[in-house]
């Protein structure tokens, strides 16, 4: 597991006063807000709405505003540079945030049990085995324990441009969901990412990446909006995405609690 050195340095500088895990968690919340749509007060030209408040709530956790001014902009630049290195028109992809999260959760902080995502080569292998060269446009593909979204990204990279697939990822860890949302954004992937439990069919919050209303961006979803994507427990055969119905009659499993969920 080799992370991007400049990104690692930027996160380390940003997190130094508060610890790697807490600093990383705070930075993720701020970064997601960067890609969320904002409303603008036409009279004052100031940003308003949920995302500004979420952003400022995180900022208030830092006792020294100068720390954010000094280290947050270089962190944003390092993140953009890291994705520019791995995301290519030829189908290259990567998970720089996931790599860093694994490092701090598994190697540095011994109080944590660790965080281990599926290695990239294994994701690529599984994606090719599942697709088997048969490309079907407009698929709905889900991962009930998505982590940083690697398996979904890998599968998307086996599909030709313009396939217009919709990906649904669920994970219990809010950090993983935020990483996956940022990954989807930088890889140009449409989908829903819900922080919740695929077995108990409970949701806390989530994100929708891309919608007709905002185009490319990360839109926050509350628990009720996420619920329909976790287990498909309501209207058999359909769920609503982007204000239109998608036929899911071919999806195996009714979504009842306790039933085995199937990846892809």
């Amino acid at each position: 597991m080799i992370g991007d050195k400049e990104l690692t340095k930027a996160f380390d500088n940003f997190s130094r006063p508060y610890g790697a895990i807490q600093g990383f968690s705070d930075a993720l919340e701020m970064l997601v807000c960067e890609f969320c749509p904002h409303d603008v007060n036409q009279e004052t030209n100031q940003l308003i709405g949920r995302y500004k408040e979420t952003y400022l709530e995180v900022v208030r956790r830092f006792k020294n505003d100068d720390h954010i001014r000094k280290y947050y902009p270089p962190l944003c630049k390092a993140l953009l540079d890291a994705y520019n290195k791995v995301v290519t028109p030829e189908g290259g992809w990567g998970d720089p945030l996931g790599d860093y999260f694994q490092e701090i959760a598994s190697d540095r902080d011994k109080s944590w049990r660790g965080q281990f995502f599926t290695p990239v080569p294994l994701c690529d292998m599984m994606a090719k085995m599942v697709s088997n060269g048969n490309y079907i446009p407009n698929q709905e593909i889900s991962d009930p324990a998505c982590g940083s979204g690697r398996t979904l990204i890998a599968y998307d990279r086996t599909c030709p441009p313009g396939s217009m697939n919709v990906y649904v990822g669920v994970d219990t860890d809010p950090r993983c969901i935020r990483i996956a949302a940022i990954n989807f954004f930088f890889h140009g992937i449409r989908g829903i990412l819900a922080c919740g439990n695929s077995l108990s069919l409970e949701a806390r919050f989530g994100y929708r990446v891309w919608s007709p209303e905002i185009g490319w961006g990360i839109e926050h979803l509350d628990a009720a909006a996420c619920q329909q994507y976790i287990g498909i427990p309501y209207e058999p055969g359909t769920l609503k995405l982007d204000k239109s119905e998608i036929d899911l009659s071919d999806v195996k499993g009714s979504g009842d609690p306790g039933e085995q969920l199937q990846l892809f």
Side-chain angles (χ1 to χ4, degrees), residues 156-174:
D156 183 76
R157 286 308 185 254
T158 68
C159 302
S163 59
M164 298 299 290
N165 294 333
V166 175
Y167 299 90
V168 179
V170 183
D171 203 276
T172 58
D173 192 323

Side-chain angles (χ1 to χ4, degrees), residues 5 28 36 56 79 83 113 149 168 176 181 192 195 198 206 218 242:
K5 293 182 179 180
L28 279 180
C36 287
L56 293 179
L79 182 68
Y83 277 104
R113 296 180 180 178
V168 179
C176 290
I192 300 292
C195 182
S198 296
I218 302 176
D242 299 337

Side-chain angles (χ1 to χ4, degrees), residues 5 61 68 125 148 154 190 204 211 222 243:
K5 293 182 179 180
R61 298 173 193 168
I68 294 180
M125 183 191 73
S148 61
R190 303 190 310 158
R204 295 169 55 191
S211 70
D222 60 20
K243 298 183 178 180

Side-chain angles (χ1 to χ4, degrees), residues 82-83 85-88 91-99 120 148 150 153 157 183 186-187:
Y83 277 104
K85 293 175 185 177
V86 296
V87 180
T88 68
W93 68 277
D95 182 17
L97 286 173
D99 288 339
V120 169
S148 61
R150 290 183 172 195
I153 297 170
R157 286 308 185 254
N183 272 337
F186 278 107
H187 288 87

Side-chain angles (χ1 to χ4, degrees), residues 171-174 194-197 202-206 220-224 226-227 230:
D171 203 276
T172 58
D173 192 323
C195 182
N197 191 315
E202 297 173 328
R204 295 169 55 191
F205 71 91
H220 187 278
L221 301 176
D222 60 20
C226 292
Q227 195 69 53
I230 287 190

